[in-house]
């Protein structure tokens, strides 16, 4: 029988209401003399917004990141936009509708209360960012412009061309810089958190590695917040930045923080297909393209075969021989179905032999209809940088006229295929964003978040900034109110010394294996196992095989790894080896969770559990819970703990994007 936890009871001690209120008043008073330190690990949108807000509220913040500047956090890559329920388009949007769409998009596996709060603060985020000067796209009349993303029938996505993440991060960074200047935030760039230090059951600090000197350093504080992003790179090939890793999250998990829903991994339908085995990165073509691009494969298998052989081009296939399979299967949402649905539909077509490139693993994303309707200028205004990026990578410009059949102009289509993109699973947090370790908080993509089993497009930035600007700065005070009377612990405590010693010993262990294989060669193999057995279509048998193969490969890692150089100074290979050690733990966790969940929901698709039409088949009777995992040591199976889901405002039903 699995243990059961309740999200409504914060993991830390709950202070009496009156005491909490008084302490809260003291903390937010600008004249307060209290010194409360908070470590924020990460400077992506979640970390930078949290550090800036906490600094502004009077806390002393220690903020770390692995890049040389907070502006280079992976959040910078976000292209398409950020959702909010402003209803500027007068199309019937509302807080409730955003809340409903998000819960439905997540296949009814999100925590309802969190999602409602997220929808409520979504509008504040836009106001906050506009005030910071974020240059959102505007209509001719000056109103902020919107477009649509998957899983929604309204236009609620705010955007800055195809660079929304970059512009939002610049906004957060300017707020952060103000606090650095005011002395409230101390920034440590090129530092990597290697461990969290627990003193008397509470998170009291971290051990971080100075990535330039190689030195280990100790930091102590009254609370620790991790905002270190997702674990998509476990799969080696993903749309994530190369530096994305799950080391901080996995260390927290090893120290007792529950890890929730690891099997919920998002596979994004519109990425540039894999084109060779020397690739180390995949490129996303933003979901915003599905506003005007139509996805299709040929209707006739002989056309598909000719495309695969290179004897025919997409633009030679006339309209009547094209299968716009998303529009056919899901008439109500068409090309804007959620990502999990679109990805599986692409896989289904390609598995049946209708793929359109030489590997048979690609479908077309075609702008002919919208260019004919709106003109190339308008399409370029909307997606210019994405078209250019596609051309740079593939040498095909999607706006080039290629053919005319029966008076219809055909433009060169993009080719796309699903790829690992985002992780809905993460460190378990309660409603206050506190993990199961008191004093340790997790925000942004690294927590298990508000997206359930599938995240809707443009909702990650919303969640990261909601956590950082509007949730954590308030909820953390419920914990800190109680801490105000405690002195900050010394980094000379034995707990710090022991944690540092263990990290140091790990570095020695990895350096001294002195085997024959590079980190990347093993990581690539792990990625193949993950994609093959723990990827888009999973089976119990495949997951068991995947776990077995991962164990074997982990042994290879432990005995045959070669890390050049030493601990001193910059050693990127050593840093990558640490990340890979943790990707192994993560990969196994994803597989355990996927194996334990005998149903299909959102990004977790078990082939044994599907409808006759190939749709995901949930089992609400047995799996209506957040699956949390407790670490039980290397090589041991983790223990499952369940947080039952409770829905009060939304009726749980089968997702329907057809009508
Ligand atoms: C190509 C692409 C496009 C996307 N487009 C969109 C979009 O249009 N809309 C949307 O809503 N979402 C989008 N997403 C998702 C979104 O960008 C991310 O989910 C979000 O930016 C994550 O923010 P974060 O702050 O949680 O983490 P990140 O931005 O990943 O930041 C992590 C931070 O933690 C630091 N860090 C990591 N490990 C350590 C460690 N051990 N020690 C110290 N520091 C550490 C890093 O230095 C970094 O500062 C996109 C994602 C990708 C890959």
């Amino acid at each position: 029988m699995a243990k059961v936890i309740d999200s409504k009871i914060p993991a830390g001690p709950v202070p009496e209401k009156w005491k909490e209120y008084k302490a809260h008043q003291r903390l937010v008073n600008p004249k307060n003399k209290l010194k409360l330190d908070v470590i924020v690990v990460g400077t992506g949108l979640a970390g930078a917004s949290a550090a800036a807000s906490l600094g502004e509220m009077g806390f002393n913040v220690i903020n770390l990141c692995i890049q040389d500047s907070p502006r280079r956090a992976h959040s910078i890559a976000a292209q398409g936009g950020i959702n909010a329920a402003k209803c500027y388009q007068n199309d019937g949007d509302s807080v409730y509708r955003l809340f409903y769409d998000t819960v439905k998009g997540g296949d009814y596996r999100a925590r309802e209360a969190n999602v409602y709060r997220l929808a409520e603060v979504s509008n504040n985020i836009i106001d906050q960012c506009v005030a910071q000067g974020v240059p959102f796209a505007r209509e001719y009349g000056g109103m902020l412009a919107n477009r649509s993303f998957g899983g929604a029938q309204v236009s609620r996505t705010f955007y800055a061309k195809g660079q929304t993440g970059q512009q939002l991060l610049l906004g957060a960074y300017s707020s952060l810089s103000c606090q650095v200047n005011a002395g409230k935030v101390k920034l440590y760039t090129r530092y990597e958190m290697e461990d969290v230090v627990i003193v008397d059951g509470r998170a009291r600090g971290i051990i971080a590695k100075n990535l330039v000197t190689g030195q280990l350093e100790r930091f102590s504080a009254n609370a620790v917040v991790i905002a270190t992003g997702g674990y998509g790179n476990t799969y080696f090939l993903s749309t994530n930045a190369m530096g994305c890793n799950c080391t901080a999250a996995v260390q927290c998990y090893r120290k007792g923080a529950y890890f929730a829903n690891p099997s919920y991994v998002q596979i994004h339908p519109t990425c540039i297909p894999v084109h060779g085995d020397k690739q180390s990165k995949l490129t996303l073509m933003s979901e915003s393209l599905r506003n005007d691009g139509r996805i299709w494969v040929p209707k006739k298998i002989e056309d598909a075969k000719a495309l695969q052989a290179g004897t025919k081009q997409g633009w030679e296939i006339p309209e009547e021989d094209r299968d716009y399979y998303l529009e056919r299967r899901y008439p109500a949402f068409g090309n804007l179905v959620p990502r999990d649905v679109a990805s599986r539909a692409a896989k289904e077509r390609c598995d049946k032999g209708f793929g359109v490139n030489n590997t048979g693993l690609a479908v077309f994303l075609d702008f002919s209809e919208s260019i004919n309707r709106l003109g190339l200028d308008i399409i370029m205004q909307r997606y210019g940088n994405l078209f250019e990026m596609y051309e740079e990578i593939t040498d095909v410009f999607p706006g080039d006229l290629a053919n005319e059949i029966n008076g219809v102009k055909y433009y060169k289509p993009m080719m796309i295929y699903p790829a690992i993109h985002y992780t809905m699973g993460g460190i378990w947090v309660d409603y206050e964003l506190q993990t199961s370790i008191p004093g340790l908080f997790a925000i942004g993509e690294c927590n298990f978040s508000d997206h359930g089993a599938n995240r809707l497009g443009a909702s990650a930035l919303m969640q990261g900034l909601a956590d950082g600007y509007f949730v954590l700065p308030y909820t953390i005070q419920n914990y800190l109110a109680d801490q105000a009377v405690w002195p900050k612990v010394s980094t000379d405590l034995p707990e710090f010394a022991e944690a540092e010693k263990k990290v140091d010993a790990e570095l020695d262990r990895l350096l001294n294996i002195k085997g024959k294989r590079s980190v990347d060669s093993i990581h690539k193999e792990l990625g193949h196992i993950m994609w093959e057995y723990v990827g888009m279509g999973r089976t119990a048998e495949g997951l068991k095989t995947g776990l077995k193969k991962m164990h074997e490969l982990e042994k290879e890692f432990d005995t045959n790894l070669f890390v050049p150089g030493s601990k001193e100074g910059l050693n990127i290979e050593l840093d990558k080896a640490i990340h890979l050690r943790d990707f192994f733990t993560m990969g196994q966790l994803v597989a355990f969770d996927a194996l334990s969940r005998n149903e299909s929901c959102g990004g977790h698709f078990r082939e044994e559990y599907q409808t006759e039409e190939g749709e995901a088949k949930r089992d609400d009777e047995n799996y209506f819970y957040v699956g949390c995992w407790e670490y039980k040591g290397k090589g041991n199976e983790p223990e499952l703990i369940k947080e039952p889901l409770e829905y009060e405002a939304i009726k749980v039903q089968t997702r329907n994007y057809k009508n």
Side-chain angles (χ1 to χ4, degrees), residues 372-384:
N372 286 330
R373 179 167 41 89
L374 300 166
L376 184 59
D377 278 356
I378 300 268
I379 294 298
M380 285 303 284
Q381 273 171 31
R382 291 181 186 170
Y383 315 109

PDB file of all heavy atoms in Angstrom, residues 372-384:
ATOM      1  N   ASN A 372      -1.169  32.417 -49.576  1.00  0.00           N
ATOM      2  CA  ASN A 372      -2.129  32.784 -50.628  1.00  0.00           C
ATOM      3  C   ASN A 372      -3.215  33.712 -50.085  1.00  0.00           C
ATOM      4  O   ASN A 372      -3.668  34.630 -50.743  1.00  0.00           O
ATOM      5  CB  ASN A 372      -2.791  31.526 -51.210  1.00  0.00           C
ATOM      6  CG  ASN A 372      -1.816  30.771 -52.112  1.00  0.00           C
ATOM      7  OD1 ASN A 372      -0.938  31.374 -52.734  1.00  0.00           O
ATOM      8  ND2 ASN A 372      -1.941  29.457 -52.175  1.00  0.00           N
ATOM      9  N   ARG A 373      -3.611  33.470 -48.835  1.00  0.00           N
ATOM     10  CA  ARG A 373      -4.711  34.246 -48.248  1.00  0.00           C
ATOM     11  C   ARG A 373      -4.249  35.612 -47.744  1.00  0.00           C
ATOM     12  O   ARG A 373      -4.914  36.631 -47.962  1.00  0.00           O
ATOM     13  CB  ARG A 373      -5.318  33.429 -47.089  1.00  0.00           C
ATOM     14  CG  ARG A 373      -6.468  34.088 -46.352  1.00  0.00           C
ATOM     15  CD  ARG A 373      -7.208  33.087 -45.439  1.00  0.00           C
ATOM     16  NE  ARG A 373      -6.321  32.173 -44.731  1.00  0.00           N
ATOM     17  CZ  ARG A 373      -5.783  32.420 -43.530  1.00  0.00           C
ATOM     18  NH1 ARG A 373      -6.056  33.533 -42.907  1.00  0.00           N
ATOM     19  NH2 ARG A 373      -4.970  31.531 -42.954  1.00  0.00           N
ATOM     20  N   LEU A 374      -3.078  35.642 -47.077  1.00  0.00           N
ATOM     21  CA  LEU A 374      -2.654  36.873 -46.388  1.00  0.00           C
ATOM     22  C   LEU A 374      -1.491  37.594 -47.063  1.00  0.00           C
ATOM     23  O   LEU A 374      -1.236  38.765 -46.789  1.00  0.00           O
ATOM     24  CB  LEU A 374      -2.225  36.534 -44.943  1.00  0.00           C
ATOM     25  CG  LEU A 374      -3.287  35.895 -44.052  1.00  0.00           C
ATOM     26  CD1 LEU A 374      -2.664  35.308 -42.803  1.00  0.00           C
ATOM     27  CD2 LEU A 374      -4.337  36.920 -43.656  1.00  0.00           C
ATOM     28  N   GLY A 375      -0.776  36.881 -47.897  1.00  0.00           N
ATOM     29  CA  GLY A 375       0.426  37.468 -48.509  1.00  0.00           C
ATOM     30  C   GLY A 375       1.651  37.138 -47.675  1.00  0.00           C
ATOM     31  O   GLY A 375       1.570  36.991 -46.443  1.00  0.00           O
ATOM     32  N   LEU A 376       2.795  37.059 -48.359  1.00  0.00           N
ATOM     33  CA  LEU A 376       4.028  36.668 -47.672  1.00  0.00           C
ATOM     34  C   LEU A 376       4.445  37.702 -46.627  1.00  0.00           C
ATOM     35  O   LEU A 376       4.979  37.358 -45.564  1.00  0.00           O
ATOM     36  CB  LEU A 376       5.144  36.442 -48.709  1.00  0.00           C
ATOM     37  CG  LEU A 376       6.472  35.925 -48.159  1.00  0.00           C
ATOM     38  CD1 LEU A 376       6.296  34.586 -47.429  1.00  0.00           C
ATOM     39  CD2 LEU A 376       7.507  35.761 -49.270  1.00  0.00           C
ATOM     40  N   ASP A 377       4.166  38.996 -46.906  1.00  0.00           N
ATOM     41  CA  ASP A 377       4.583  40.052 -45.970  1.00  0.00           C
ATOM     42  C   ASP A 377       4.013  39.831 -44.574  1.00  0.00           C
ATOM     43  O   ASP A 377       4.716  39.911 -43.571  1.00  0.00           O
ATOM     44  CB  ASP A 377       4.107  41.425 -46.473  1.00  0.00           C
ATOM     45  CG  ASP A 377       5.067  41.969 -47.510  1.00  0.00           C
ATOM     46  OD1 ASP A 377       6.095  41.305 -47.742  1.00  0.00           O
ATOM     47  OD2 ASP A 377       4.766  43.036 -48.071  1.00  0.00           O
ATOM     48  N   ILE A 378       2.713  39.552 -44.533  1.00  0.00           N
ATOM     49  CA  ILE A 378       2.056  39.358 -43.227  1.00  0.00           C
ATOM     50  C   ILE A 378       2.638  38.122 -42.541  1.00  0.00           C
ATOM     51  O   ILE A 378       2.936  38.139 -41.341  1.00  0.00           O
ATOM     52  CB  ILE A 378       0.530  39.161 -43.418  1.00  0.00           C
ATOM     53  CG1 ILE A 378      -0.075  40.382 -44.093  1.00  0.00           C
ATOM     54  CG2 ILE A 378      -0.156  38.806 -42.103  1.00  0.00           C
ATOM     55  CD1 ILE A 378      -0.592  41.451 -43.193  1.00  0.00           C
ATOM     56  N   ILE A 379       2.814  37.067 -43.313  1.00  0.00           N
ATOM     57  CA  ILE A 379       3.350  35.837 -42.716  1.00  0.00           C
ATOM     58  C   ILE A 379       4.762  36.091 -42.195  1.00  0.00           C
ATOM     59  O   ILE A 379       5.142  35.630 -41.109  1.00  0.00           O
ATOM     60  CB  ILE A 379       3.307  34.685 -43.758  1.00  0.00           C
ATOM     61  CG1 ILE A 379       1.857  34.335 -44.076  1.00  0.00           C
ATOM     62  CG2 ILE A 379       4.054  33.452 -43.290  1.00  0.00           C
ATOM     63  CD1 ILE A 379       1.037  33.824 -42.889  1.00  0.00           C
ATOM     64  N   MET A 380       5.542  36.875 -42.925  1.00  0.00           N
ATOM     65  CA  MET A 380       6.907  37.186 -42.472  1.00  0.00           C
ATOM     66  C   MET A 380       6.885  38.060 -41.219  1.00  0.00           C
ATOM     67  O   MET A 380       7.721  37.912 -40.332  1.00  0.00           O
ATOM     68  CB  MET A 380       7.701  37.880 -43.585  1.00  0.00           C
ATOM     69  CG  MET A 380       8.142  36.938 -44.685  1.00  0.00           C
ATOM     70  SD  MET A 380       9.136  35.564 -44.060  1.00  0.00           S
ATOM     71  CE  MET A 380      10.698  36.372 -43.775  1.00  0.00           C
ATOM     72  N   GLN A 381       5.916  38.973 -41.154  1.00  0.00           N
ATOM     73  CA  GLN A 381       5.818  39.791 -39.931  1.00  0.00           C
ATOM     74  C   GLN A 381       5.588  38.891 -38.716  1.00  0.00           C
ATOM     75  O   GLN A 381       6.090  39.134 -37.636  1.00  0.00           O
ATOM     76  CB  GLN A 381       4.637  40.743 -40.038  1.00  0.00           C
ATOM     77  CG  GLN A 381       4.957  42.061 -40.726  1.00  0.00           C
ATOM     78  CD  GLN A 381       3.684  42.858 -40.986  1.00  0.00           C
ATOM     79  OE1 GLN A 381       2.723  42.768 -40.236  1.00  0.00           O
ATOM     80  NE2 GLN A 381       3.691  43.628 -42.050  1.00  0.00           N
ATOM     81  N   ARG A 382       4.777  37.854 -38.935  1.00  0.00           N
ATOM     82  CA  ARG A 382       4.444  36.975 -37.799  1.00  0.00           C
ATOM     83  C   ARG A 382       5.572  35.990 -37.461  1.00  0.00           C
ATOM     84  O   ARG A 382       5.808  35.702 -36.303  1.00  0.00           O
ATOM     85  CB  ARG A 382       3.171  36.174 -38.117  1.00  0.00           C
ATOM     86  CG  ARG A 382       1.947  37.060 -38.148  1.00  0.00           C
ATOM     87  CD  ARG A 382       0.689  36.261 -38.432  1.00  0.00           C
ATOM     88  NE  ARG A 382      -0.427  37.189 -38.600  1.00  0.00           N
ATOM     89  CZ  ARG A 382      -1.624  36.843 -39.049  1.00  0.00           C
ATOM     90  NH1 ARG A 382      -1.873  35.603 -39.358  1.00  0.00           N
ATOM     91  NH2 ARG A 382      -2.579  37.737 -39.172  1.00  0.00           N
ATOM     92  N   TYR A 383       6.188  35.458 -38.494  1.00  0.00           N
ATOM     93  CA  TYR A 383       7.108  34.342 -38.228  1.00  0.00           C
ATOM     94  C   TYR A 383       8.468  34.506 -38.903  1.00  0.00           C
ATOM     95  O   TYR A 383       9.182  33.515 -39.107  1.00  0.00           O
ATOM     96  CB  TYR A 383       6.493  33.015 -38.743  1.00  0.00           C
ATOM     97  CG  TYR A 383       5.047  32.831 -38.388  1.00  0.00           C
ATOM     98  CD1 TYR A 383       4.054  32.910 -39.358  1.00  0.00           C
ATOM     99  CD2 TYR A 383       4.666  32.592 -37.065  1.00  0.00           C
ATOM    100  CE1 TYR A 383       2.718  32.749 -39.030  1.00  0.00           C
ATOM    101  CE2 TYR A 383       3.335  32.427 -36.733  1.00  0.00           C
ATOM    102  CZ  TYR A 383       2.353  32.513 -37.720  1.00  0.00           C
ATOM    103  OH  TYR A 383       1.045  32.358 -37.392  1.00  0.00           O
ATOM    104  N   GLY A 384       8.799  35.755 -39.301  1.00  0.00           N
ATOM    105  CA  GLY A 384      10.012  35.983 -40.087  1.00  0.00           C
ATOM    106  C   GLY A 384      11.243  35.290 -39.529  1.00  0.00           C
ATOM    107  O   GLY A 384      11.947  34.557 -40.230  1.00  0.00           O
TER     108      GLY A 384
END
